[in-house]
Amino acid sequence: MPSEEVLTGTLENVVYYNEETGFTVLEIALDEEDELVSAVGVLPPVSPGERVKLFGRFVQHREYGQQFRAERLETMLPTDLRGVKRYLASGLIKGIGEATASRIVNHFGDETLNILRYNPLRLAEIPGIGEKKAEGIAESFMEARGTQEVMVFLTGYGISANFAMKIYKLYGANAIAKIRQNPYCLMEDVAGIGFKSADKIAREMGIEKNAPFRLMAGLAYILDESAFGMGHCYLEKRFILESASNLLEAPIESVEAALQSLTLSRKAVVEKTAEEERVYSIDLWNAENRTANLLAELMEASPKLDLDGAKVEEELDITLGEGQHRALEMALENPVVVVTGGPGTGKTTLIRALIGAFSDYEVALAAPTGRAAKRMSEATGIEAQTLHRLLEYGQGEMGFIRNESNPLEMDVLIVDEVSMMDILLTEALLRALPAGCRLVLVGDADQLPPVGPGNFLRDVIASGAVPVVRLTEIYRQADESLIVVNAHRINGGEMPILNRRDSDFFLVGAPDGVSAAKTVVDLVKRRLPKYLGCGPEEIQVLAPMRKGEAGVTHLNLLLQKALNPAAAGERPFVYRAGDKVMQIKNNYQLRWTRDFEEGLGIFNGDMGFVEEDDERERSLVVRFDDGREAEYGYENADELELAYAVSVHKSQGSEFAAVVMPVLAGPPRLYTRNLLYTAITRAKRLVVLVGKERDIYRMVDNAEVQQRNSALAERLIRALD
């Protein structure tokens, strides 16, 4: 392999720069050379006029000829006045354009950069630059230099330019020192950087394999991955030791010593039972214990209410079925009650009856997601809030202003779509409920478990400690809708009825993933809008997997191309105005506005459309389904992904006019009965499955439910004993 070459010169032009990946094409004028040299590589952002040193080698590209493949880059301040002027006017420094750059260089000459570094207030000597503007220019200059230093440092370790910018904004000028001291801090502080990226930096810095803080970081990573990747609250000790030993290439004894250090530092808990030793992260151990204790306290605090359920039916002019009436009576008699049932079993009617029964009390409605809260509001005529909004996300502990020190002000809380609540959100809610508050938990226990850790609804039902009413009688659309009928057939292990004339449930055949993907696009773009009389935006594609020809990722690319193609000459950025997008991680700090209201927090699963794409300001504006608008800098665009197609898990709590879903052979752990059940219950008017009938049979037959490591049920039993 040829040895590394070094080029030094002045950056003349940035031909192309991808802010997501850092891939750059630039032209530099080499020192003492007349011609320009093209260079390509994943590099930090640079500006024309800067002096650069590139490390790499020349390669022959079959289309573009000879170019320099740069592996890394170092920046240097320009040394001649022409370079200084171009550097200042490049846009890198706020407050300086071409005219101002010329005036500064003409006034200070060779001392220009020294003035900016050491005596920037002298800029006020120039007419039109006051003291305040001089301070702003100096601050921007120092920030630009600090940013580039950090960017060069991080990209040298394989960190993308996007993440490097986030790290700089988080740590500022201390970024390099902090990372050199302990690169594993990136795991805790920067969303999207995991153990493997931090470990790569650490190893290249010469940190030993068996360094205690490396082993502790590896253990924390495995606990975090198990919680937010598989939904476990804890791992069995033997399993985590073996997993960490394999990941870290370290002896079991060293890993066990690191686990002891992790527990001593109060970052993990090892809990012994008669059957096993459980290892928790401290946050999940606290959440599980507090949830059980708070729920037990709630159940012991509220007396039976002297209300007549039959009178409520009469006043509201509704007739409740046997199960609904029993649920109403249980809610009046018990401080906490769980109501579960599938689609069409009258959960919404019951909620309306409960609101009427508690009409003399302060009643609040809530749901885990914006879509679910919006649907709850439309069905009841009373405003429902997301749980995050109810708890008033702010600057309080865990981000919620409402907690035990500042409880909510209500007598009754009805929460819908409880199957989506993970243990951390549940704990936050229970901490904020006032003493004596009645809690009605409504959901479908047969839906997929929450995306986050735990399985609160199923655990509470399994404990037998809380009154539970299961609604089984079908009311909604039972006669005319195969969606409801088939949902219950699938849940009971029966094959759905397919392709009945004039129905709302169809199978379109497709022999493989390529054919299925092509059919899905045609259905969404052409056939279904015409059939339903709606726009493609009302049709949601759901897929069991992310990978593959008919997976979420590939379908999104095909659907974006079909529904919102790029205009001629449009820059190759992943999103553009009109794109359907989804937030894929909780961002508690992102500010949103809605009419005359504003707040903080956009959360995992929130869906909307890109309203604006401002290349000059390097920002996107997204309008979410509940009317909130939020602005994203390009560096934060990785918190979004295209949502023409989404995974079934991400669709929970949502409802769409129509659902299209490819159903092909796949891994049994994913292609399960309750995944198919969850998918079709998201549709209001139409379900179209694309694939093979035999693969639908396989999913219906696969009743496997992924077990989650959670001890909430047993803790709740003990708390109430």
Side-chain angles (χ1 to χ4, degrees):
M1 180 178 242
S3 59
E4 184 177 69
E5 298 178 70
V6 180
L7 301 183
T8 303
T10 301
L11 178 60
E12 290 293 320
N13 184 29
V14 178
V15 179
Y16 174 75
Y17 177 69
N18 185 311
E19 52 278 311
E20 290 228 323
T21 64
F23 180 76
T24 307
V25 180
L26 49 80
E27 294 177 332
I28 64 169
L30 299 183
D31 292 347
E32 301 177 2
E33 300 260 353
D34 292 332
E35 61 182 275
L36 298 179
V37 173
S38 292
V40 300
V42 176
L43 304 169
V46 284
S47 298
E50 286 188 273
R51 298 263 301 150
V52 295
K53 185 180 286 187
L54 296 172
F55 300 82
R57 58 188 57 83
F58 279 100
V59 296
Q60 190 68 27
H61 193 281
R62 63 182 181 183
E63 184 175 350
Y64 300 112
Q66 189 182 58
Q67 55 185 202
F68 191 77
R69 181 70 53 81
E71 300 294 335
R72 58 193 177 94
L73 172 151
E74 292 179 3
T75 60
M76 302 170 285
L77 288 172
T79 54
D80 62 275
L81 293 183
R82 175 179 171 274
V84 171
K85 189 181 295 186
R86 291 193 68 201
Y87 172 70
L88 295 181
S90 66
L92 190 67
I93 302 168
K94 294 176 185 176
I96 299 182
E98 286 190 21
T100 305
S102 294
R103 283 188 288 147
I104 292 173
V105 172
N106 290 340
H107 187 83
F108 293 113
D110 292 337
E111 288 299 305
T112 297
L113 294 179
N114 285 331
I115 294 295
L116 280 165
R117 275 189 287 192
Y118 306 120
N119 198 4
L121 292 182
R122 284 194 60 194
L123 292 171
E125 295 175 10
I126 299 171
I129 299 181
E131 192 170 306
K132 187 174 182 180
K133 185 174 181 179
E135 289 176 354
I137 290 173
E139 184 178 333
S140 180
F141 174 77
M142 296 307 293
E143 183 178 336
R145 296 305 301 159
T147 301
Q148 285 193 319
E149 185 181 355
V150 173
M151 297 281 277
V152 169
F153 172 78
L154 290 170
T155 53
Y157 288 109
I159 299 295
S160 73
N162 237 357
F163 277 117
M165 183 62 76
K166 288 185 179 182
I167 292 166
Y168 176 77
K169 287 184 176 180
L170 179 67
Y171 296 143
N174 296 323
I176 294 175
K178 187 171 179 66
I179 293 166
R180 279 184 171 143
Q181 183 180 9
N182 180 7
Y184 299 101
C185 65
L186 295 170
M187 290 170 51
E188 296 182 16
D189 298 339
V190 184
I193 293 189
F195 174 79
K196 291 178 182 177
S197 297
D199 198 45
K200 181 176 183 293
I201 296 173
R203 299 301 299 276
E204 290 188 19
M205 286 180 175
I207 292 174
E208 295 292 329
K209 272 188 179 183
N210 289 342
F213 64 82
R214 177 178 183 264
L215 303 184
M216 291 170 68
L219 286 163
Y221 163 73
I222 291 172
L223 282 175
D224 189 64
E225 283 291 293
S226 72
F228 295 96
M230 296 181 285
H232 296 313
C233 287
Y234 69 84
L235 291 177
E236 201 272 320
K237 182 181 176 182
R238 181 166 52 87
F239 173 82
I240 191 174
L241 291 179
E242 291 174 356
S243 299
S245 177
N246 291 331
L247 172 71
L248 300 165
E249 299 177 343
I252 288 280
E253 298 76 16
S254 300
V255 175
E256 188 159 18
L259 179 58
Q260 290 177 354
S261 299
L262 207 64
T263 58
L264 288 172
S265 63
R266 297 296 294 161
K267 292 183 178 179
V269 173
V270 178
E271 186 176 74
K272 292 184 179 181
T273 70
E275 297 81 22
E276 60 185 355
E277 287 187 89
R278 301 166 176 168
V279 181
Y280 286 85
S281 71
I282 188 65
D283 290 340
L284 290 178
W285 186 81
N286 283 332
E288 212 174 69
N289 279 285
R290 286 175 182 161
T291 296
N293 293 332
L294 289 167
L295 202 55
E297 290 174 13
L298 205 62
M299 292 178 66
E300 294 170 351
S302 302
K304 176 180 177 179
L305 297 180
D306 187 19
L307 296 171
D308 186 348
K311 187 177 179 182
V312 170
E313 293 180 58
E314 183 180 336
E315 290 176 349
L316 294 177
D317 192 25
I318 58 175
T319 302
L320 299 179
E322 182 182 342
Q324 292 171 312
H325 187 77
R326 186 168 70 255
L328 177 61
E329 294 293 340
M330 293 283 271
L332 298 177
E333 293 175 5
N334 297 278
V336 181
V337 66
V338 171
V339 181
T340 183
T345 55
K347 296 190 294 294
T348 300
T349 300
L350 173 64
I351 291 172
R352 288 174 48 226
L354 288 166
I355 293 168
F358 293 117
S359 59
D360 293 333
Y361 297 86
E362 187 71 28
V363 179
L365 308 181
T369 67
R371 276 180 172 263
K374 183 180 179 182
R375 201 170 72 247
M376 197 180 187
S377 299
E378 292 169 349
T380 62
I382 295 175
E383 184 188 14
Q385 302 178 72
T386 64
L387 290 171
H388 284 89
R389 188 177 172 205
L390 179 75
L391 297 174
E392 297 179 34
Y393 177 80
Q395 303 305 316
E397 185 180 355
M398 295 298 290
F400 295 112
I401 289 176
R402 295 292 187 172
N403 52 37
E404 58 268 45
S405 302
N406 181 29
L408 296 162
E409 298 165 7
M410 62 183 64
D411 302 309
V412 181
L413 175 62
I414 303 172
V415 185
D416 198 9
E417 296 286 358
V418 176
S419 63
M420 299 179 65
M421 291 174 60
D422 65 29
I423 193 69
L424 294 168
L425 184 57
T426 303
E427 178 213 4
L429 174 64
L430 293 175
R431 288 175 61 188
L433 292 183
C437 180
R438 303 182 87 77
L439 179 62
V440 181
L441 301 168
V442 182
D444 186 347
D446 295 317
Q447 296 279 343
L448 290 171
V451 175
N455 203 347
F456 171 68
L457 180 58
R458 286 195 180 189
D459 285 347
V460 169
I461 293 172
S463 73
V466 176
V468 177
V469 179
R470 184 177 286 272
L471 303 178
T472 56
E473 187 176 352
I474 302 174
Y475 301 94
R476 176 170 63 91
Q477 301 175 333
D479 296 329
E480 67 272 17
S481 174
L482 277 184
I483 296 175
V484 173
V485 171
N486 281 340
H488 289 274
R489 287 176 67 89
I490 290 168
N491 203 32
E494 297 180 68
M495 186 67 181
I497 300 166
L498 300 169
N499 297 345
R500 179 187 287 173
R501 188 180 180 87
D502 298 325
S503 74
D504 55 6
F505 200 106
F506 297 95
L507 169 66
V508 177
D512 53 39
V514 174
S515 176
K518 184 178 179 181
T519 300
V520 166
V521 173
D522 188 46
L523 284 165
V524 175
K525 182 180 180 180
R526 185 180 63 86
R527 294 165 63 181
L528 295 187
K530 184 177 179 181
Y531 179 76
L532 291 171
C534 69
E537 69 278 359
E538 296 182 63
I539 301 164
Q540 185 60 53
V541 177
L542 304 181
M545 295 178 62
R546 296 193 61 83
K547 298 180 180 179
E549 293 290 344
V552 169
T553 302
H554 188 235
L555 284 172
N556 268 319
L557 295 176
L558 296 178
L559 288 162
Q560 183 193 40
K561 184 177 180 180
L563 300 175
N564 192 25
E570 190 173 13
R571 66 189 174 78
F573 188 60
V574 67
Y575 306 119
R576 44 187 169 264
D579 273 338
K580 191 176 189 179
V581 294
M582 174 184 279
Q583 178 81 7
I584 58 171
K585 60 184 72 171
N586 290 336
N587 185 331
Y588 296 97
Q589 302 296 336
L590 189 58
R591 185 166 296 280
W592 54 262
T593 59
R594 177 172 49 199
D595 298 327
F596 301 106
E597 182 185 10
E598 65 176 36
L600 291 175
I602 301 293
F603 303 105
N604 190 358
D606 288 349
M607 293 177 69
F609 289 85
V610 177
E611 290 275 296
E612 299 174 26
D613 175 13
D614 190 330
E615 185 176 358
R616 184 177 177 183
E617 294 295 325
R618 297 174 56 81
S619 67
L620 303 169
V621 175
V622 177
R623 183 178 180 84
F624 290 94
D625 291 337
D626 59 2
R628 291 174 301 157
E629 287 191 357
E631 183 174 338
Y632 293 75
Y634 281 178
E635 70 274 10
N636 293 322
D638 60 343
E639 295 184 3
L640 297 168
E641 70 178 17
L642 292 173
Y644 298 101
V646 300
S647 69
V648 179
H649 282 84
K650 292 284 190 180
S651 73
Q652 288 176 266
S654 299
E655 195 171 62
F656 311 99
V659 163
V660 179
M661 179 177 171
V663 180
L664 301 159
R669 64 183 180 82
L670 289 178
Y671 284 69
T672 63
R673 179 188 299 172
N674 74 332
L675 183 134
L676 180 60
Y677 170 77
T678 300
I680 68 171
T681 56
R682 301 304 93 203
K684 290 189 289 186
R685 297 173 58 191
L686 184 70
V687 169
V688 181
L689 304 180
V690 180
K692 298 178 181 178
E693 193 167 330
R694 70 180 185 188
D695 292 323
I696 298 174
Y697 272 110
R698 286 173 179 164
M699 291 187 77
V700 173
D701 283 343
N702 183 8
E704 179 182 337
V705 176
Q706 184 188 7
Q707 296 301 315
R708 293 190 164 189
N709 293 344
S710 166
L712 178 63
E714 61 190 66
R715 293 189 198 282
L716 184 55
I717 292 169
R718 285 201 301 269
L720 285 166
D721 190 6

